[in-house]
Amino acid sequence: MALPRRKISKIIGSDITCAIEVGFTPPVNGIAMLKLKNPRRFCKKRVGFQTQRALICFAGHCPPHVNSHSEQTMTQLATLLSIYTDVFGGDLLRYILGAGGTYLLINVMLARRLGAQKIRPSAVPQGQILREILTSLRTVLIFTAAGTSIVLGARAGVITIYQDIAAFGWTYFAFSIAVLITLHDAWFYWTHRALHYPPLFRRFHRLHHKSHQPTPFTSYSFDVGEAVVNAVYLPLVLIILPTHPVALFIFVTHMMLRNAIGHCGIEIFPANAKGKPVFGWLTSVTHHDMHHAHARYNHGLYFSWWDRLMKTEHPRYLTEFARVAPRLPVRIVKTAFLVIVVGVGMLASQGHAFDLKGHYASPGLGVIVAFEDCASNEAMKCGRLVWVWNKDDTPHAQVGDMILTELVFDGTVWEGALRDPETGRTYRGSIRQSTNHQLTLKGCAGVFCAHQTWHSTQYLKTVLKRHGN
């Protein structure tokens, strides 16, 4: 029964909580809950944020005062600054270790030993490295903004960053890394070629080519426009590609190291006995170094296939590569490659189906569903409606009805039919495990899809016990 606001105001005092996000509080275990006539408006006025369905009250957690609009704004700005600062620290450290570490190891410590592999005999012009470092710091600031948008997108549910590798499996984990790298190479090639269009080059790409003889520090030496073009790739691709944090770390680390090595000016990629690249599908140091000498050619970042397909690879590339590349027996390379492939295969084979069972609550505690084996086929899973907050909100399903049916595990997710108890419509959909206590449901009608995050009631019960006294 809904209580009037005047009565609620008398009930709520300093010893009664007037706010806990409903998605984290289960309607079980005898906890008293007050269902308001206008909970969204009341909660916003009382504690400064909106709930989806109702205000849940229990002893001991009432905010001492109502936050003003200015206080909320300051809190949001402080949170944004905190995220930006954390991301900036990681991006700056990656540049320092990637560019600085590559320079220290290859261009300083091993310079004499690798002297025969140096692509150009001349020295780097005085002052170039300092300029590159200063402009790279600006690039780090721009990349940090992109990283911050990823964090905010993940919190808003626009971007999926899952925490448990088992939720998608090791096969998908490896696949996501490969997709990130392959798409980034394509993005780089085509945007890079566009930036060489004369009007764009003068405004957005000239600074990078001021480093006619590149160094590892050239890797981030961009004009503002070029930095933005490079930065937006990752937030855009993550909107459609669920990714694990470790996969992201591997991608950005690979990106930084390949970029720094590609600008180091000393060829470290091996050639066979005939001087041909052992890894012909990869761009070598010579490949990108020739781009800085001959800007019309060699636009690729990681792979050489776009340049070959579009006939933008320099005609003397293989000759120049053979001149400086170290010779390495092919047998050793093939053995190492085989070991890597076997290792990746063993990791991929460890992926397994998560057991879809237990009780889960929808956002706002609209419904609670129990997952169980389907009666018609025990290899499939079904979801039974066992509780609803308000029967009027679910006119097309009653407690006891199956609203998720014929869910089959495809190696990464459970796929089947999802029936909306509010509209009665049935959608094709999937369920994946985000964490041990959290499911992500995806329902699609044609090309249009929506996502929901459900929490285990056992987890919600634990949270309530932890904070209920």
Side-chain angles (χ1 to χ4, degrees), residues 271-331:
N272 60 24
K274 296 181 179 181
K276 302 292 185 181
V278 173
F279 305 105
W281 45 281
L282 295 177
T283 57
S284 64
V285 180
T286 304
H287 191 278
H288 192 72
D289 193 276
M290 291 186 73
H291 172 72
H292 279 258
H294 310 280
R296 293 173 53 196
Y297 299 100
N298 298 7
H299 298 285
L301 179 60
Y302 307 131
F303 309 112
S304 59
W305 50 55
W306 282 112
D307 279 308
R308 292 178 181 175
L309 179 65
M310 304 308 298
K311 303 195 183 302
T312 54
E313 186 172 83
H314 196 285
R316 286 187 54 80
Y317 163 59
L318 293 178
T319 302
E320 290 298 310
F321 176 81
R323 180 177 62 85
V324 294
R327 301 301 192 268
L328 189 67
V330 176
R331 183 181 60 186

Side-chain angles (χ1 to χ4, degrees), residues 89-106:
D91 283 351
L92 180 60
L93 182 63
R94 182 166 58 249
Y95 175 73
I96 292 173
L97 294 180
T102 299
Y103 181 81
L104 181 63
L105 178 63
I106 296 178

Side-chain angles (χ1 to χ4, degrees), residues 28-46:
V28 293
N29 300 329
I31 300 300
M33 291 174 288
L34 304 176
K35 186 174 180 184
L36 307 180
K37 287 183 176 179
N38 195 339
R40 188 182 299 273
R41 179 179 175 188
F42 180 82
C43 193
K44 182 177 181 182
K45 180 178 180 182
R46 178 73 181 174

Side-chain angles (χ1 to χ4, degrees), residues 7-26:
K7 189 170 183 180
I8 292 290
S9 299
K10 291 181 180 180
I11 294 175
I12 295 178
S14 60
D15 61 338
I16 300 292
T17 285
C18 55
I20 182 170
E21 188 177 352
V22 296
F24 291 89
T25 308

Side-chain angles (χ1 to χ4, degrees), residues 113-133:
R113 184 175 180 179
L114 301 177
Q117 297 162 220
K118 195 171 189 299
I119 298 170
R120 306 192 202 187
S122 58
V124 175
Q126 187 176 2
Q128 175 180 311
I129 290 179
L130 178 60
R131 185 193 72 238
E132 292 171 343
I133 292 175

Side-chain angles (χ1 to χ4, degrees), residues 364-384:
L365 284 175
V367 300
I368 293 180
V369 171
F371 290 98
E372 58 192 55
D373 295 337
C374 296
S376 58
N377 187 341
E378 293 185 356
M380 298 180 180
K381 293 289 185 179
C382 290
R384 185 185 303 276

